[in-house]
Amino acid sequence: MTANGRAMIHLEGVTKVFYTDEVETHALATIQLEIKKGEYVSIAGPSGCGKSTLLSLLGLLDSPTDGKYWLDGKQVADLSLSDRARIRNLQIGFIFQSFNLIGDLTVFENVELPLTYRGMKAADRRQRANDALERVGMAHRARHLPSQLSGGQQQRVAVARAVAGSPLILLADEPTGNLDSKSGEAVMELLRELHRGGATLCMVTHDPRYARHADRTIHLFDGRIVEESAATAAS
Amino acid sequence: MDAILQDLRYGLRMLLKNPGFAAVAVLALALGIGANTAIFSVVNAVLLRPLPFPDPDRLTMVVSVNPAKGFPKFPASPPDFIDWRAQSRVFEEMAAVDGAPYNLSEGTEPERLNGSRVSASFLGVVGVKPVLGRDFLPEEDREGAEPVVLIGHGLWTRRFGSDPGIVGRTIALNGKRRTVVGVLPQGYTFPNRSEVWTPIAFDHDELSGRGAHYLHVFARLKPGTTLEAAQVEMDTIAERLRKQYPDSNTGWGTLVSPLSEMMVGKIRPALMVLLGAVCFVLLIACANVANLLLARATERQKEVAIRLALGAGRLRLVRQLLTESAILGLLGGLGGLVLALWGTDLLVAAGGDNLPRFREVSVDGRVLLFTLGLSLVTGLFFGVVPALQASRPDLNETLKEGGRGGTSGPGRHRLRSALAIGEIALALVLLVGAGLMFRSFQRLLSVDPGFRPDHLLTLDVALPETKYPDGARQTVFLRQALERLGALPGVVSAAAATTVPLAGGVISYSFSIDGQPEQPPSNRSSARYDAVGGDFFRAMGIGILRGRGLLDSDVAGGPRVAVISSGMAHKYFPGENPIGRLIRIDNDHERAPREIVGIVADVKHSSLDGEAAPHVYEPLAQAPSTWLTFVLRATVEPMSLATAARQAVLAIDREQPVSEMKTGEALVSDSVTQPRLAMILLSVFAAVALLLAAVGTYGVVAYSVSQRTHEFGVRMALGAGRREVLGLVVRQGLVLAAAGVVLGLLVAAGATRLLAGLLFGISPTDPITYGLVAVILTFVALLACVVPARRATLVDPMTALRCE
Ligand SMILES: Nc1ncnc2c1ncn2[C@@H]1O[C@H](COP(=O)(O)OP(=O)(O)OP(=O)(O)O)[C@@H](O)[C@H]1O
Ligand SMILES: [Mg+2]
């Protein structure tokens, strides 16, 4: 079994076990998964089933206990810490449930942050960050601090930060979990728009309303993929 | 009361709950308070504690001054003293003192004793009474009076087994039997650390020599008389004497100054600098503990919130928190006291013999009170800001930040950062001070004293005039001693002199040079003077620059000769050749002309940091002396010759003790006791300050790293690598260091001006010292960031993002 040339993400037999105080938690068991370029995949399942764990494996925040992982055709399961940091920086965009903007940096600086880790020139960074803020409609708040924004606005800034570096794939973990339904809807619309523009998107969500928008939904239960369903109302 | 007990109990429990925190805080405070207590106990003994005499405020010294000749404080001559005493009305008593060593030849081993010849009124002036027997009678300081002596308590116990029958017995001092009339109180040795006091009687010669200044005059003011009034009266008397004796007294005035000032005035600036230094150390320690408390206040926000919710008033809460810091302060004070007890022992050992009143240094009630007060004030000082902060948890802000998912950065730790910056700045000031003192001391030690101190042994012999009444007998002793000492194995050459450099003794005489305009005695220039015997210049390693040294062939009755120092040649024979010229020295009445036969190198006679004064030497054979210091140039370790040298002297005269055996190197190093001690102390304090500042910086950075875990997690998720995270932490440390260093440099530039008087050969703004210290401090601050920075790189982004 080799990596599919067109698969952006290919997991094979991936398991994740956490060892804490003599307790073994089998968070993920023999996961097989493929996500193609330009696909919009949502991950669903009850609390504690391993959704976030899967997402952080995909985002190289953590490495699997066992199994193989090809990202864009390259084996990435056993890379060093610094190589993983590099790939995260260049190829992955994160959107978190709790936004995770850095409180002491302005909106603009937050968006620019991943670009600075690439050693990009200041002028290029400014250009890209401004474009990204433009895209999420937050350019006018560039000089503000995160604490001066509403939750929905903060999440839009977080999206801008995720897309500013033109990653291969966007990973979002319940991006609307901390938002009221109106702001949540706006953020989801933003992600749909990015998907329409060609972005590959993998999103954890509890909300079936949002899962509908995805091309495909993966259902997890107790660390296993129990069902894959094609979207009922793909855009 | 009940509430206070409860506060205490609770405070102790909180400290025990967090023993690591408590230990670090108490240790920091102990260092700060200990340093303060140690230095304060010195200041207390030397500057604050009144002299151990009744009514010490009324004790003064009266000195001669001659600004034109550069004598700001000079001893008095006997006739001047007699006139002062007869004419002044402001003093209850006035007494003259002349230091006089005595050879005690009782029993087996002869012993040299420090002694003083004093006016009969002397004990009345200082207000001391004998514990046994009586004081001198007024008639006992006249010529021809019965020879009597007062002895010290130490000598009485040591040599006479505390025999109460000593009063009325006679003892042999300098070969003359004197009747003991009294024993002075235990511990009393004033002045000159004396063990025997004899009445001073002036003979006809002494009473006619107004130019011979050698008396130390002590006087007790009448009750209610001010120093100013005394000065006014003494000015009038001096004016009268100038008119009456223009030959000898032109240019001479008098100065009345408090005895305490005369004794310790010179050491005061150094003590003040040290007091300032320990104050800085304590401030740094306080900043450290305040920082720890602030960090804990954040951790305890929840506890505080619950207490507030349960209805505790803010005041009650602040009191609770202050009780805790007071407990810390007191524990620190206790630790400090232990450190200080140990430290003062070291200080007394280091400075006891060479610094005034250091023997009196002890931890007394006042020091204890000082420490207690300092501990409490310190506790309040470092505790009050954290307590106020903690008692006002801004729940609103906290909730908002949490709710918005923001992360807290350095902004919230502005106060803590400010404290760390302050610590670094203060440490820098101390380091600069210590650095300057160190470099100054190095320069002092690298001064060429003009003689070779290595492989040199010096020993004092004071011949009793009763046994060696004339020059002939003194010269015989000298010749025999030089022969025997010179023949000792390991001795290259033996010589003798009236005084040797850096030993404390200085003789000066006025002189005139034939062929230069003759001046009245009071206008004559004066020079340092020594009579020397044997091959003195070779033994001392003093170079002969021109002509010859003084030889064994320069004997009594032969042509009178003298040798002068190079500085004297330049000053008094500019552009001329002094060799062959005649010089007359005012040490004898004939003022016989001596032919200058040689020029020798300059010697730093009184101190390494002073200028080498003009110096004239003549042969002991032609100007014999009963006060002799022998110098032995050795091929072996000089102190190993001590016993043999003592025996060589005893072989000539069984009753002749030797004293003050010292190596040349000890002469040099004892002469810099004060700057050395100041340098060492300042260095120790600076090291403590550096350590505390490093711990403080570490604390701030480590705490901030722990608070920024989440932020680091986010950054790492966005692709920040090890280097970026390290950079973030190190940058924070660098910002603290840079701010502290800049602030410190500014403060140091001002503060070290106070140090100027203590520095030798280096400017208080010496750029090399400042630069080096800035580099060292920055380096140490960075070092303090290493551990937290490493911890930051080990943050697991997963975990960090999960627990928010
Ligand atoms: N670092 C860890 N150490 C130990 N156990 C962990 C760790 N991370 C996750 N787990 C465990 O792994 C399992 C899966 O957790 P995960 O966070 O992936 O669940 P989830 O599906 O995202 O749940 P939710 O919907 O509540 O966010 C849980 O049982 C969790 O307790
Ligand atoms: Mg989750």
Side-chain angles (χ1 to χ4, degrees):
Chain A
M1 292 194 209
T2 55
N4 185 319
R6 277 171 306 160
M8 183 64 65
I9 278 172
H10 183 90
L11 296 186
E12 207 166 295
V14 163
T15 63
K16 181 68 189 178
V17 184
F18 292 108
Y19 302 91
T20 37
D21 301 329
E22 297 156 24
V23 181
E24 283 187 17
T25 311
H26 292 262
L28 293 174
T30 53
I31 300 285
Q32 304 285 132
L33 176 65
E34 217 174 76
I35 299 174
K36 295 200 174 59
K37 189 170 157 54
E39 221 181 348
Y40 182 171
V41 174
S42 86
I43 301 173
S47 181
C49 68
K51 303 183 297 291
S52 296
T53 306
L54 178 57
L55 212 64
S56 38
L57 287 183
L58 292 181
L60 296 180
L61 283 174
D62 211 345
S63 43
T65 314
D66 210 352
K68 300 211 158 109
Y69 176 11
W70 286 268
L71 176 64
D72 199 20
K74 277 197 298 285
Q75 256 278 22
V76 292
D78 306 309
L79 291 178
S80 71
L81 274 177
S82 58
D83 286 341
R84 293 220 306 253
R86 230 184 112 62
I87 292 178
R88 278 203 300 274
N89 182 245
L90 290 171
Q91 308 189 339
I92 293 168
F94 280 105
I95 301 159
F96 304 96
Q97 175 176 353
S98 52
F99 329 142
N100 282 332
L101 297 178
I102 291 174
D104 295 316
L105 302 182
T106 63
V107 162
F108 178 84
E109 287 164 338
N110 264 289
V111 175
E112 191 190 27
L113 191 62
L115 305 178
T116 61
Y117 294 140
R118 298 183 186 183
M120 193 181 273
K121 277 209 219 83
D124 294 348
R125 288 204 308 260
R126 181 146 356 113
Q127 179 71 45
R128 290 245 213 160
N130 278 330
D131 286 354
L133 280 171
E134 209 69 66
R135 249 150 89 192
V136 302
M138 290 297 296
H140 59 297
R141 311 298 289 268
R143 305 252 157 269
H144 288 209
L145 287 175
S147 59
Q148 296 166 318
L149 304 181
S150 75
Q153 289 171 324
Q154 287 193 49
Q155 192 61 302
R156 270 149 67 193
V157 172
V159 171
R161 182 174 67 182
V163 300
S166 330
L168 291 178
I169 184 164
L170 283 175
L171 301 176
D173 194 347
E174 297 185 49
T176 59
N178 279 1
L179 299 176
D180 60 84
S181 56
K182 196 157 157 275
S183 313
E185 186 53 56
V187 168
M188 287 314 295
E189 182 50 40
L190 186 57
L191 290 178
R192 271 204 301 280
E193 225 176 272
L194 288 169
H195 174 233
R196 279 198 293 273
T200 312
L201 197 57
C202 180
M203 175 180 74
V204 170
T205 182
H206 279 304
D207 196 328
R209 277 180 301 148
Y210 299 143
R212 280 186 335 212
H213 297 302
D215 300 332
R216 179 156 66 101
T217 301
I218 294 164
H219 293 272
L220 275 182
F221 187 81
D222 204 10
R224 289 163 205 281
I225 297 177
V226 289
E227 188 191 337
E228 287 198 40
S229 58
T232 46
S235 47
Chain B
M1 192 61 216
D2 209 36
I4 291 180
L5 268 181
Q6 197 190 334
D7 279 355
L8 272 176
R9 238 192 335 264
Y10 182 75
L12 273 175
R13 194 167 343 130
M14 282 311 285
L15 291 179
L16 286 178
K17 231 178 81 180
N18 207 335
F21 158 79
V24 171
V26 168
L27 188 68
L29 290 173
L31 285 171
I33 295 176
N36 272 274
T37 302
I39 292 304
F40 179 77
S41 61
V42 174
V43 169
N44 178 43
V46 175
L47 300 183
L48 299 182
R49 213 186 277 161
L51 293 171
F53 309 124
D55 283 330
D57 292 346
R58 284 161 54 206
L59 279 176
T60 64
M61 268 191 95
V62 187
V63 293
S64 287
V65 294
N66 191 335
K69 279 194 170 179
F71 299 136
K73 286 169 195 166
F74 214 65
S77 66
D80 278 353
F81 163 66
I82 301 285
D83 286 335
W84 291 351
R85 184 157 70 169
Q87 297 178 24
S88 64
R89 297 279 163 273
V90 287
F91 299 110
E92 215 170 67
E93 298 265 24
M94 191 182 267
V97 172
D98 182 24
Y102 280 102
N103 299 337
L104 173 69
S105 39
E106 287 285 313
T108 50
E109 173 94 339
E111 184 181 355
R112 167 127 124 182
L113 302 173
N114 282 334
S116 299
R117 301 197 299 146
V118 301
S119 305
S121 56
F122 177 72
L123 289 187
V125 170
V126 291
V128 168
K129 291 190 179 61
V131 287
L132 202 66
R134 60 163 176 86
D135 192 357
F136 294 133
L137 303 173
E139 62 271 19
E140 279 174 339
D141 66 5
R142 314 241 163 89
E143 254 221 300
E146 280 298 305
V148 291
V149 62
L150 284 163
I151 65 173
H153 200 276
L155 179 65
W156 181 49
T157 26
R158 191 172 75 245
R159 292 296 294 252
F160 305 107
S162 305
D163 175 12
I166 187 74
V167 174
R169 263 175 52 191
T170 64
I171 59 175
L173 289 169
N174 284 358
K176 178 170 169 182
R177 300 212 71 87
R178 287 177 177 269
T179 308
V180 177
V181 294
V183 177
L184 294 189
Q186 182 162 19
Y188 180 85
T189 60
F190 185 78
N192 311 322
R193 283 188 278 137
S194 297
E195 295 199 284
V196 290
W197 294 259
T198 58
I200 191 167
F202 303 113
D203 59 21
H204 175 78
D205 269 4
E206 286 175 305
L207 285 177
S208 53
R210 271 184 202 271
H213 290 255
Y214 60 88
L215 291 179
H216 300 281
V217 177
F218 299 87
R220 181 176 280 275
L221 288 168
K222 280 182 179 158
T225 311
T226 63
L227 209 59
E228 291 72 32
Q231 184 63 55
V232 167
E233 191 189 61
M234 289 309 295
D235 284 344
T236 322
I237 296 172
E239 172 65 29
R240 200 149 52 218
L241 294 177
R242 279 196 293 273
K243 287 213 181 92
Q244 218 172 336
Y245 309 102
D247 263 12
S248 56
N249 280 46
T250 303
W252 287 95
T254 61
L255 176 73
V256 185
S257 63
L259 177 58
S260 56
E261 187 57 34
M262 292 299 269
M263 284 176 71
V264 298
K266 258 175 92 176
I267 199 173
R268 173 170 298 142
L271 282 180
M272 287 300 140
V273 165
L274 289 175
L275 207 56
V278 290
C279 213
F280 276 25
V281 173
L282 187 61
L283 277 176
I284 296 175
C286 281
N288 245 326
V289 179
N291 246 335
L292 286 172
L293 284 177
L294 277 175
R296 238 163 54 107
T298 325
E299 286 161 23
R300 283 172 68 178
Q301 251 173 20
K302 199 160 170 198
E303 174 211 329
V304 168
I306 293 171
R307 280 168 175 268
L308 283 173
L310 290 178
R314 182 146 181 243
L315 206 69
R316 179 76 176 65
L317 212 60
V318 168
R319 207 183 69 197
Q320 164 64 49
L321 293 168
L322 281 184
T323 306
E324 272 183 62
S325 50
I327 294 174
L328 279 181
L330 287 174
L331 287 176
L334 211 63
L337 201 60
V338 173
L339 283 179
L341 282 170
W342 175 69
T344 44
D345 280 356
L346 287 182
L347 277 175
V348 173
D353 286 331
N354 297 302
L355 298 178
R357 301 197 77 187
F358 257 56
R359 285 260 164 253
E360 299 171 41
V361 172
S362 65
V363 174
D364 63 4
R366 181 160 23 178
V367 173
L368 286 178
L369 216 65
F370 170 85
T371 310
L372 179 70
L374 195 66
S375 308
L376 287 174
V377 169
T378 303
L380 291 183
F381 186 67
F382 67 68
V384 74
V385 173
L388 287 178
Q389 278 249 323
S391 68
R392 190 185 41 196
D394 204 336
L395 294 171
N396 221 359
E397 190 58 30
T398 319
L399 289 177
K400 199 170 157 202
E401 285 222 346
R404 293 282 168 98
T407 56
S408 57
R412 245 172 72 182
H413 313 304
R414 215 161 280 152
L415 184 58
R416 294 168 50 75
S417 299
L419 285 171
I421 289 170
E423 285 182 45
I424 294 173
L426 289 173
L428 180 120
V429 176
L430 282 186
L431 276 174
V432 166
L436 289 173
M437 292 293 273
F438 180 76
R439 280 167 61 81
S440 150
F441 189 69
Q442 272 189 325
R443 303 230 163 154
L444 196 56
L445 284 189
S446 66
V447 165
D448 176 11
F451 67 96
R452 272 182 42 218
D454 62 292
H455 292 92
L456 199 66
L457 184 71
T458 70
L459 47 123
D460 283 9
V461 169
L463 301 174
E465 276 182 49
T466 40
K467 204 164 182 185
Y468 299 93
D470 51 43
R473 263 173 267 207
Q474 293 157 16
T475 307
V476 169
F477 175 88
L478 173 69
R479 213 173 36 231
Q480 287 178 336
L482 288 178
E483 243 163 54
R484 283 180 182 271
L485 289 170
L488 292 178
V491 173
V492 182
S493 64
T498 38
T499 69
V500 291
L502 303 180
V506 172
I507 307 172
S508 9
Y509 283 116
S510 48
F511 64 90
S512 58
I513 295 159
D514 283 15
Q516 295 183 357
E518 182 67 21
Q519 303 277 353
S522 63
N523 272 9
R524 285 179 198 146
S525 311
S526 47
R528 298 280 160 79
Y529 166 92
D530 275 299
V532 302
D535 201 345
F536 179 73
F537 300 113
R538 193 166 80 100
M540 288 295 290
I542 300 172
I544 295 172
L545 306 180
R546 215 159 150 186
R548 65 170 176 89
L550 298 171
L551 307 173
D552 287 343
S553 52
D554 298 317
V555 291
R560 300 288 299 257
V561 291
V563 159
I564 62 174
S565 69
S566 140
M568 182 151 178
H570 283 119
K571 183 157 182 201
Y572 297 105
F573 302 93
E576 299 173 55
N577 180 4
I579 304 232
R581 300 284 295 273
L582 298 178
I583 184 170
R584 294 169 195 266
I585 305 171
D586 291 335
N587 64 338
D588 61 19
H589 293 293
E590 301 98 66
R591 306 193 73 241
R594 281 82 147 170
E595 183 187 342
I596 296 171
V597 293
I599 299 173
V600 294
D602 284 329
V603 171
K604 303 272 185 181
H605 200 89
S606 41
S607 67
L608 284 181
D609 61 346
E611 289 295 315
H615 208 132
V616 57
Y617 303 86
E618 68 173 322
L620 268 168
Q622 297 180 347
S625 167
T626 51
W627 293 44
L628 296 169
T629 300
F630 287 91
V631 297
L632 306 181
R633 168 70 49 194
T635 50
V636 295
E637 202 285 303
M639 258 307 163
S640 69
L641 296 168
T643 316
R646 193 183 299 273
Q647 262 144 19
V649 173
L650 285 176
I652 307 166
D653 181 341
R654 243 174 6 86
E655 291 182 333
Q656 183 57 52
V658 302
S659 65
E660 301 290 318
M661 288 241 196
K662 258 187 182 183
T663 64
E665 273 147 358
L667 284 179
V668 174
S669 90
D670 285 357
S671 80
V672 291
T673 301
Q674 182 182 323
R676 182 192 307 110
L677 200 57
M679 185 267 295
I680 291 176
L681 286 177
L682 213 51
S683 306
V684 169
F685 297 148
V688 170
L690 184 64
L691 182 74
L692 288 177
V695 170
T697 309
Y698 165 81
V700 170
V701 174
Y703 180 74
S704 135
V705 164
S706 75
Q707 294 290 297
R708 292 172 78 186
T709 311
H710 179 245
E711 179 199 330
F712 291 141
V714 173
R715 286 174 181 267
M716 285 165 125
L718 296 179
R722 247 179 97 83
R723 247 200 345 198
E724 282 87 4
V725 174
L726 267 179
L728 274 177
V729 178
V730 168
R731 197 168 319 135
Q732 188 196 1
L734 261 183
V735 167
L736 291 178
V741 164
V742 169
L743 186 66
L745 286 176
L746 290 176
V747 176
T752 49
R753 222 166 289 161
L754 304 174
L755 217 59
L758 303 177
L759 295 179
F760 171 78
I762 191 161
S763 140
T765 52
D766 175 55
I768 295 180
T769 309
Y770 280 62
L772 258 168
V773 165
V775 169
I776 290 175
L777 231 134
T778 310
F779 178 73
V780 169
L782 285 183
L783 217 59
C785 297
V786 166
V787 174
R790 237 187 81 75
R791 199 175 307 148
T793 63
L794 297 182
V795 164
D796 175 11
M798 275 277 292
T799 324
L801 293 173
R802 181 182 299 274
C803 9
E804 22 168 321

